Amino acid sequence: MRRFDTPVLENRELSRDYRRIEVEWPGDAGTPAPGAFLTVGVSGTTDPLLRRPFAFSGYDPREGRAAFIFQIRGPATRLLSERRPGTVLDVLGPLGSGFPDPAPGSLPVLVGGGIGLGPLVFAAREFRLRAAAGGWEAPVLVLGFRTADQVPALDLPEGSVLCTDDGSAGFRGTAVEAAERAAAGGRYGPDAPPVFYACGPAPMMAALDRRAASLGASYWAAVEQWMACGVGACLGCAVRLKDGSFARACAEGPVFDGTSIDWGAM
Amino acid sequence: MRRFDTPVLENRELSRDYRRIEVEWPGDAGTPAPGAFLTVGVSGTTDPLLRRPFAFSGYDPREGRAAFIFQIRGPATRLLSERRPGTVLDVLGPLGSGFPDPAPGSLPVLVGGGIGLGPLVFAAREFRLRAAAGGWEAPVLVLGFRTADQVPALDLPEGSVLCTDDGSAGFRGTAVEAAERAAAGGRYGPDAPPVFYACGPAPMMAALDRRAASLGASYWAAVEQWMACGVGACLGCAVRLKDGSFARACAEGPVFDGTSIDWGAM
Amino acid sequence: MNPDLSVRIGNLVLPNPVGVASGTFGYGSEYESLMDVDALGALYTKAVTPEPRPGNEVPRIVETPSGMLNSIGLANPGLEAFVRDKLPELRRRRCPVLVNVAGASEDDYLRVLERLEPEDGISGYEINVSCPNVSHGGLAFGTDPALVERLTARLKRSLRSARPLIVKLSPNVTDIAEIARAAESGGADAVSCINTLVGMVIDVDRRRPRLARGTGGLSGPAIRPVGVACAFRVSRAVAIPVVGIGGILEARDALEYLLAGARAVQVGTGNFRDPGTAARVLEGIRDWMVRNGASRMEDIPGMLDA
Amino acid sequence: MNPDLSVRIGNLVLPNPVGVASGTFGYGSEYESLMDVDALGALYTKAVTPEPRPGNEVPRIVETPSGMLNSIGLANPGLEAFVRDKLPELRRRRCPVLVNVAGASEDDYLRVLERLEPEDGISGYEINVSCPNVSHGGLAFGTDPALVERLTARLKRSLRSARPLIVKLSPNVTDIAEIARAAESGGADAVSCINTLVGMVIDVDRRRPRLARGTGGLSGPAIRPVGVACAFRVSRAVAIPVVGIGGILEARDALEYLLAGARAVQVGTGNFRDPGTAARVLEGIRDWMVRNGASRMEDIPGMLDA
Ligand SMILES: Cc1cc2nc3c(=O)[nH]c(=O)nc-3n(C[C@H](O)[C@H](O)[C@H](O)COP(=O)(O)OP(=O)(O)OC[C@H]3O[C@@H](n4cnc5c(N)ncnc54)[C@H](O)[C@@H]3O)c2cc1C
Ligand SMILES: Cc1cc2nc3c(=O)[nH]c(=O)nc-3n(C[C@H](O)[C@H](O)[C@H](O)COP(=O)(O)OP(=O)(O)OC[C@H]3O[C@@H](n4cnc5c(N)ncnc54)[C@H](O)[C@@H]3O)c2cc1C
Ligand SMILES: Cc1cc2nc3c(=O)[nH]c(=O)nc-3n(C[C@H](O)[C@H](O)[C@H](O)COP(=O)(O)O)c2cc1C
Ligand SMILES: Cc1cc2nc3c(=O)[nH]c(=O)nc-3n(C[C@H](O)[C@H](O)[C@H](O)COP(=O)(O)O)c2cc1C
Ligand code: FES
Ligand code: FES
């Protein structure tokens, strides 16, 4: 974990809604992992005031480059969208826990919706690369969008499933439905039980929680919660667990065993 | 007086300290005059919050272009310095009173220091163009700077006098000294009394006030005062007059009969 | 569906909920060429005091993070000059004009109201008991519930005016709800909140306060969360209408106040940033009402899920 | 000239005037890898209460113009777990550690202090009578001068501690100087100000407050002018040192407090924006002192031309 100013290498539009920023990532700054995040100082003035968290969407240790994918939602992401390559970005990271590896023999099904797509694109690439070594199945990546013009221009791993609410691109329906189908289509059974990895909007997570429960499947969820410090100091990013306690999304998370989270309180 | 969004045509560095922005100025927005100003909304976020006032440094009615010269001093001017041509600027103007014409037979001596240079460059051009018609002498423009690297790359009218505190460019000494010399060098006397036009930092204005008093010369001063509304509504920009009353820099000013101002209270 | 935007305060019906705040809009004519002043829900004038006041020494304003401090000091031409020089043009307005009144004593307030009561062209009064920028009166009144109640009751009783009397509350108190209840007990037709917060900026290079008077009043978006919290608390403490003020730049800002319980709002510092603010805010409120199925202003407070 | 940056508070000498504010720095280790925690002038812990507190429902934070609201709700592991799990690592710090203490009753405060008094590794106490985010105690104490005086006196008398006791003041009062004087009369060694302002943000799309608890505490640059005005007034009302807090991001912000009369400062929300803030602020204060010929911290307040 370090705070540093680093050059923006690329700031590219991926679709109507998404952009991708790639920055130089020095080797001694720590290793970005899928599910982990960085925070970005976006402004030289006092509004926006706080740093903004973004999950890593990729990391290339040889080239020394890390990336994140973001959606323009408000003032900070608007300012970020205007950052030109060559200017420097105020970055703090890597922060938070990453996705744990799939168990040997399991089929990782990665489900991303909305701004959750970045970490799952990253995880899909990683899990694929290390599938043989780790002994798990080749992962299936499922990404859900509202409409075709949201779908980002990204090289997705082979076998990825796209879906849109209106069927304008890929599979028509929700990412959770598609993920369940993908899990069933795999060698679903005692020797390749599915394990879901998910990040997305609250309704998607709630749907997945129900489906995972009825399948008896385990799943890892990267949660989003308003953050102030990003390093575990302010207790702002609390996530309610089913046992009634709170955990910090930035420190114990953002990746949690999905079944431990009280989604109703999110 | 209108508020409108207008394209930036040019944003050029004039020297280490000064930049010039030129914008499209529609004919129906009113006529910028030397001494008058516009206010600029600089930010889409709430910091900086208020519009910033800048004096016109030029206006070309045929081309529909108006300009101002500014110095990077704080957050708003820093943001302005990054505005690229083609983007739009939120502009409100023209505001305030301009410099009155010189009396027939008089010698206008225009003295500018620091950020006061814009309106005087503008006035010099105008008074020169209209000297024959108005019956006054060709104006003398005197601009003062600290050092040579502050001197802006501008086409100044013939006969202009530059001075620097350290003599690194032009005349060594203050703009007020140079202005007094220029006035004396003119046909100074009953048939061509000098009239000063001035805008600059407080010490310069105080010096001019003393010199004008001892010469018995009249002078017009464009004052600077913190402004919130720029249109006369908030009473924030009050200027103390010698009679003890207050006037609004944005409405009764920014140009005042210099001898009426209580410079000690500024 | 075209929502009904009118708002009733006492006997007065405002055509729409978006007014402009005292001290930020002069007497209206200053903004004449920049927007349609007559389309405002209400125009609150700069404070009027019995005697002319030159105002405080300069500098009087300084910008702060997402806000500004002012120490104008109730500068105004005084009651007689107001009636003579400002009222004629105000009288020609087609929007409601509410005169903001200030003073150093109860008598001062009463004197201004008694003089204005017979004059046409005034829709109501806003009693400024909350100005932080004067040494006597102003804020002192506004922090003591007993004084607020007594002043309000005296003004209501002596005047027996058909025009509504709005008491403008200060946030610089321990319990703004208590002051609001005092105004209500005194007979106020509405309360408006908030006036500015006491603040100070120091120039560390020159080692002196930025404002000649030292402290000033903080306004702008920086204080909006404070204003919304006040409007929320006050609207639960009194039955009379609440007018929300503080940091409104956009329709969503105004809607925060309306959902918090305010019946109308005023735009202050926002006018400085964009003279079109009030019109834009009104348009956005209308759109929101259509989208959210609110047909009258009174519907909005009940729509908050709190 | 190398200025002397030390600051005395009661018997305690802080190595420099720049501390980090309670609730914004956890227990120090969170920032370990990002900056030199041991170089801080003081580390004020998150509030400690007798019993463990889970804190308020989520969301607990929301950004506002140049500020933020929090309603953490004094979440902390409780006195025993603090002593067991947090104190050992705090004890190893080379910077002064001051424990921020909160409670719902006088007895609560006393209980925490009595338990902590025999423990090593604590340099002082900051009594939080000003938290707006809990239903009992907290803010209630902080708004009543009689309660503040009584609480302070009781803690001083019962404890007879050599460690300084700092009372942390709320800006949500009519007269903060009066509360400060009450703390001084009660025997406080210093007062710190300000805690957060009560604020509220409403999500107008979902029509509910952004914070689960409705209101929260406003911090950050937005409130700096309020904090500086409070420090100015309080430092003129009491003879004990004042610790300035609120919206400090840069050395010049801290210098506003110091010129206003504060003897030391705390960085809160600024840590979230840049963990290097405290170090940067300290460096800038040192430079300013050299440039302006101040050789000791006590010189600075007298340098204000007000
Ligand atoms: C651990 C983590 C990882 C994230 N990763 C990504 C990512 O990879 N790509 C991406 O685009 N975004 C990501 N986000 C969200 C991102 O931080 C916000 O979109 C961003 O802060 C918005 O800033 P803004 O000023 O543009 O908009 P704001 O005006 O701050 O917010 C716009 C709207 O977005 C929502 N929002 C913003 N921040 C949060 C939050 N922290 N929690 C819940 N809702 C929020 C709110 O509804 C708000 O109204 C992540 C958030 C967290 C906590
Ligand atoms: C009528 C008028 C005409 C002006 N014309 C020009 C111009 O032609 N070119 C130009 O460069 N500037 C001009 N200014 C000043 C210009 O408005 C400020 O430099 C600008 O607002 C600074 O904004 P900022 O955010 O960059 O800096 P800020 O941080 O706002 O200010 C930086 C410093 O500049 C000084 N300052 C800023 N604004 C004022 C003010 N209104 N009065 C006195 N001191 C101030 C203060 O010392 C402050 O610390 C004019 C001001 C007025 C009132
Ligand atoms: C320059 C200025 C002058 C003001 N003068 C007055 C006044 O005369 N009477 C009054 O009641 N309020 C006065 N106010 C307070 C505003 O009416 C309003 O309550 C406050 O600014 C908060 O709203 P805002 O954040 O939208 O500006 C003044 C505010 C400003 C900024
Ligand atoms: C997230 C958060 C938690 C806080 N928790 C506490 C606390 O436990 N005890 C306390 O006295 N103050 C607490 N505060 C208040 C700060 O210590 C400080 O007084 C306030 O934030 C103003 O300073 P700032 O503007 O620099 O943040 C908290 C502030 C924040 C932002
Ligand atoms: S964001 Fe501060 S504890 Fe997680
Ligand atoms: S700036 Fe508002 S009156 Fe001049």
Side-chain angles (χ1 to χ4, degrees):
Chain A
M1 183 200 312
R2 262 183 56 201
R3 198 211 63 76
F4 55 104
D5 292 326
T6 195
V8 174
L9 300 172
E10 185 188 275
N11 186 345
R12 183 159 59 96
E13 190 176 84
L14 300 179
S15 72
R16 202 196 54 194
D17 279 23
Y18 296 97
R19 297 186 73 86
R20 176 177 185 272
I21 282 186
E22 192 169 46
V23 296
E24 238 177 75
W25 194 271
D28 62 358
T31 305
F37 66 102
L38 78 176
T39 64
V40 173
V42 285
S43 159
T45 72
T46 59
D47 182 50
L49 178 67
L50 298 173
R51 309 179 69 82
R52 293 294 197 271
F54 299 96
F56 292 104
S57 67
Y59 173 53
D60 182 337
R62 269 171 321 170
E63 301 274 326
R65 294 160 161 250
F68 59 93
I69 294 173
F70 67 102
Q71 194 176 21
I72 303 180
R73 283 196 173 182
T77 45
R78 192 155 44 242
L79 286 169
L80 269 183
S81 73
E82 295 162 5
R83 274 303 168 90
R84 277 169 295 166
T87 60
V88 294
L89 201 62
D90 163 5
V91 151
L92 195 165
L95 298 167
S97 58
F99 289 120
D101 281 347
S106 68
L107 169 66
V109 179
L110 285 53
V111 200
I115 57 172
L117 75 95
L120 294 166
V121 166
F122 189 6
R125 211 173 305 125
E126 285 286 305
F127 289 171
R128 194 172 186 82
L129 271 177
R130 294 171 39 234
W136 55 77
E137 298 288 305
V140 182
L141 173 64
V142 182
L143 297 178
F145 301 95
R146 278 196 307 276
T147 52
D149 56 356
Q150 279 200 316
V151 177
L154 278 174
D155 283 336
L156 298 181
E158 199 189 311
S160 297
V161 180
L162 283 182
C163 37
T164 49
D165 293 349
D166 64 353
S168 57
F171 176 79
R172 178 195 191 116
T174 70
V176 172
E177 287 158 20
E180 203 177 341
R181 210 161 314 180
R187 286 194 298 116
Y188 183 33
D191 40 314
V195 50
F196 295 101
Y197 291 80
C199 184
M204 180 190 118
M205 299 307 283
L208 180 68
D209 188 58
R210 284 190 301 273
R211 297 314 304 146
S214 74
L215 292 172
S218 66
Y219 74 107
W220 299 100
V223 305
E224 266 179 52
Q225 183 60 278
W226 297 91
M227 290 185 177
C229 72
V231 301
C234 74
L235 311 182
C237 63
V239 173
R240 178 72 88 176
L241 302 183
K242 283 199 181 122
D243 68 9
S245 70
F246 284 114
R248 295 167 298 180
C250 70
E252 285 80 49
V255 174
F256 292 91
D257 172 348
T259 61
S260 72
I261 291 179
D262 179 355
W263 292 103
M266 288 293 277
Chain B
M1 184 199 314
R2 263 181 57 199
R3 199 212 62 76
F4 54 102
D5 292 326
T6 193
V8 174
L9 301 172
E10 186 187 276
N11 186 343
R12 184 159 59 96
E13 190 177 84
L14 299 180
S15 72
R16 202 195 55 192
D17 279 25
Y18 296 97
R19 296 186 73 86
R20 177 178 185 271
I21 283 186
E22 192 169 47
V23 297
E24 238 177 74
W25 195 271
D28 62 359
T31 304
F37 65 102
L38 79 176
T39 64
V40 174
V42 284
S43 160
T45 73
T46 59
D47 181 51
L49 179 67
L50 298 173
R51 309 179 70 80
R52 292 295 197 274
F54 299 95
F56 292 104
S57 66
Y59 172 52
D60 182 337
R62 270 172 320 173
E63 301 274 326
R65 292 161 162 248
F68 59 93
I69 293 173
F70 67 101
Q71 194 177 20
I72 303 180
R73 284 195 172 184
T77 46
R78 193 154 44 241
L79 286 169
L80 269 182
S81 73
E82 295 161 5
R83 273 305 166 89
R84 274 168 295 167
T87 60
V88 295
L89 201 63
D90 163 5
V91 151
L92 194 164
L95 298 167
S97 58
F99 289 119
D101 280 349
S106 68
L107 168 67
V109 179
L110 285 56
V111 199
I115 57 173
L117 76 97
L120 294 167
V121 166
F122 188 6
R125 212 175 301 126
E126 285 286 305
F127 288 170
R128 192 172 188 82
L129 272 175
R130 294 170 38 233
W136 54 78
E137 297 289 305
V140 182
L141 174 63
V142 182
L143 298 178
F145 302 95
R146 277 198 307 278
T147 51
D149 57 355
Q150 278 199 317
V151 177
L154 279 173
D155 285 334
L156 298 181
E158 199 188 313
S160 297
V161 181
L162 283 183
C163 37
T164 50
D165 293 348
D166 63 354
S168 57
F171 175 79
R172 178 195 191 116
T174 71
V176 172
E177 287 160 18
E180 203 178 339
R181 209 161 313 184
R187 287 195 296 116
Y188 181 33
D191 40 317
V195 50
F196 295 100
Y197 291 80
C199 185
M204 181 190 118
M205 300 306 285
L208 180 68
D209 189 58
R210 283 191 302 273
R211 296 312 305 146
S214 74
L215 292 173
S218 65
Y219 74 106
W220 299 101
V223 305
E224 265 180 52
Q225 183 59 281
W226 296 92
M227 291 185 176
C229 72
V231 302
C234 74
L235 311 182
C237 63
V239 172
R240 178 73 86 173
L241 302 184
K242 285 204 179 116
D243 69 8
S245 71
F246 284 113
R248 295 167 298 179
C250 71
E252 285 80 49
V255 174
F256 291 92
D257 173 348
T259 61
S260 71
I261 291 180
D262 179 355
W263 292 104
M266 287 293 280
Chain C
M1 188 196 63
N2 216 348
D4 176 0
L5 292 163
S6 67
V7 175
R8 172 177 292 274
I9 293 183
N11 291 328
L12 175 67
V13 177
L14 304 175
N16 73 62
V18 187
V20 286
S22 174
T24 68
F25 213 76
Y27 304 95
S29 58
E30 294 82 352
Y31 280 101
E32 190 81 69
S33 57
L34 291 165
M35 44 99 61
D36 183 1
V37 177
D38 290 334
L40 290 171
L43 189 167
Y44 296 81
T45 68
K46 177 70 192 165
V48 175
T49 56
E51 70 301 341
R53 296 209 191 181
N56 292 329
E57 271 312 324
V58 293
R60 294 177 174 181
I61 46 183
V62 57
E63 187 161 329
T64 69
S66 298
M68 63 176 282
L69 289 184
N70 86 78
S71 73
I72 307 299
L74 300 181
N76 82 97
L79 181 56
E80 288 312 322
F82 171 78
V83 171
R84 187 182 63 235
D85 302 334
K86 306 294 179 186
L87 200 50
E89 93 190 17
L90 287 168
R91 210 170 263 142
R92 285 193 295 272
R93 291 276 160 230
R94 267 165 298 144
C95 65
V97 170
L98 290 99
V99 179
N100 184 274
V101 181
S105 66
E106 280 189 15
D107 289 348
D108 275 358
Y109 288 93
L110 190 60
R111 206 171 122 205
V112 175
L113 291 195
E114 279 176 341
R115 174 71 185 84
L116 294 179
E117 184 60 18
E119 297 289 340
D120 285 346
I122 295 172
S123 295
Y125 307 110
E126 185 179 47
I127 305 302
N128 177 1
V129 289
S130 47
C131 181
N133 295 323
V134 287
S135 302
H136 298 290
L139 192 50
F141 279 106
T143 60
D144 183 335
L147 291 183
V148 168
E149 179 168 352
R150 203 176 68 188
L151 172 66
T152 312
R154 183 157 167 220
L155 297 178
K156 283 300 280 187
R157 211 177 33 237
S158 315
L159 222 60
R160 306 202 165 283
S161 173
R163 296 171 180 163
L165 191 138
I166 305 177
V167 175
K168 185 163 177 180
L169 306 177
S170 167
N172 303 293
V173 295
T174 304
D175 186 359
I176 194 171
E178 187 188 11
I179 315 282
R181 277 188 300 263
E184 184 178 44
S185 310
D189 297 289
V191 287
S192 52
C193 66
I194 54 175
N195 209 317
T196 54
L197 284 157
V198 176
M200 183 175 200
V201 174
I202 290 173
D203 182 331
V204 303
D205 297 320
R206 300 180 178 196
R207 301 189 222 142
R208 62 177 190 228
R210 285 268 188 184
L211 299 178
R213 209 168 158 277
T215 58
L218 183 63
S219 65
I223 70 165
R224 188 168 64 232
V226 176
V228 171
C230 287
F232 183 79
R233 290 193 55 206
V234 167
S235 63
R236 273 147 194 78
V238 297
I240 51 178
V242 175
V243 181
I245 322 172
I248 296 175
L249 301 183
E250 305 292 341
R252 46 196 322 111
D253 306 338
L255 283 158
E256 288 196 53
Y257 281 96
L258 297 173
L259 283 164
R263 203 59 66 80
V265 295
Q266 297 175 23
V267 173
T269 303
N271 298 305
F272 304 157
R273 190 169 150 110
D274 174 8
T277 301
R280 194 159 33 78
V281 166
L282 179 59
E283 229 19 76
I285 291 174
R286 193 197 311 269
D287 289 350
W288 185 95
M289 291 177 75
V290 171
R291 269 201 324 277
N292 288 271
S295 54
R296 303 168 317 147
M297 294 309 299
E298 304 86 273
D299 295 348
I300 302 180
M303 294 169 76
L304 183 74
D305 175 13
Chain D
M1 189 194 65
N2 217 347
D4 176 359
L5 292 163
S6 67
V7 176
R8 172 177 292 275
I9 293 183
N11 292 328
L12 176 66
V13 177
L14 304 176
N16 73 62
V18 187
V20 288
S22 174
T24 68
F25 213 78
Y27 304 95
S29 57
E30 294 83 353
Y31 281 101
E32 190 81 69
S33 57
L34 292 165
M35 44 100 61
D36 183 2
V37 177
D38 291 333
L40 290 171
L43 189 166
Y44 296 81
T45 68
K46 177 71 191 164
V48 175
T49 56
E51 71 301 342
R53 294 210 192 180
N56 291 329
E57 272 311 325
V58 294
R60 293 178 175 181
I61 47 183
V62 57
E63 186 161 330
T64 69
S66 298
M68 63 174 283
L69 289 183
N70 85 79
S71 73
I72 307 299
L74 300 182
N76 82 97
L79 180 56
E80 288 311 323
F82 170 78
V83 171
R84 189 182 61 233
D85 301 334
K86 306 293 179 186
L87 199 50
E89 93 191 17
L90 288 169
R91 208 169 266 142
R92 285 192 296 270
R93 290 277 161 232
R94 267 165 298 146
C95 65
V97 170
L98 290 100
V99 179
N100 184 274
V101 180
S105 65
E106 280 187 16
D107 289 348
D108 275 359
Y109 288 93
L110 190 61
R111 204 172 125 204
V112 174
L113 290 195
E114 281 176 338
R115 174 72 185 81
L116 294 179
E117 184 59 18
E119 297 289 339
D120 285 346
I122 296 172
S123 295
Y125 308 110
E126 186 180 47
I127 304 302
N128 177 1
V129 290
S130 47
C131 180
N133 294 323
V134 287
S135 304
H136 298 291
L139 193 49
F141 280 105
T143 60
D144 182 334
L147 290 183
V148 168
E149 180 170 350
R150 202 176 70 187
L151 173 65
T152 312
R154 182 157 168 221
L155 296 178
K156 283 301 279 189
R157 212 177 32 238
S158 314
L159 221 59
R160 308 203 163 280
S161 174
R163 296 171 181 165
L165 192 138
I166 305 176
V167 175
K168 184 163 178 180
L169 306 176
S170 168
N172 303 292
V173 295
T174 305
D175 186 0
I176 193 170
E178 188 188 10
I179 315 283
R181 276 189 300 264
E184 184 178 45
S185 311
D189 297 287
V191 287
S192 53
C193 67
I194 55 178
N195 210 317
T196 54
L197 285 157
V198 176
M200 183 176 200
V201 173
I202 290 172
D203 182 332
V204 303
D205 297 319
R206 300 181 177 195
R207 300 188 223 141
R208 61 177 191 228
R210 284 269 187 181
L211 299 178
R213 210 169 158 276
T215 58
L218 183 62
S219 64
I223 69 165
R224 191 170 59 233
V226 176
V228 172
C230 287
F232 182 79
R233 292 192 54 206
V234 167
S235 62
R236 273 148 193 77
V238 297
I240 51 178
V242 174
V243 181
I245 322 171
I248 296 175
L249 300 184
E250 305 292 343
R252 46 196 324 111
D253 307 337
L255 284 159
E256 289 196 53
Y257 281 96
L258 298 173
L259 284 163
R263 203 57 67 80
V265 295
Q266 296 175 23
V267 172
T269 303
N271 298 305
F272 304 158
R273 189 167 150 112
D274 175 8
T277 301
R280 195 161 29 80
V281 166
L282 178 59
E283 229 20 75
I285 291 174
R286 192 197 311 269
D287 290 349
W288 184 95
M289 289 177 75
V290 171
R291 270 202 322 279
N292 288 272
S295 54
R296 301 170 318 146
M297 295 309 299
E298 303 85 272
D299 294 346
I300 303 180
M303 294 169 76
L304 184 74
D305 175 13

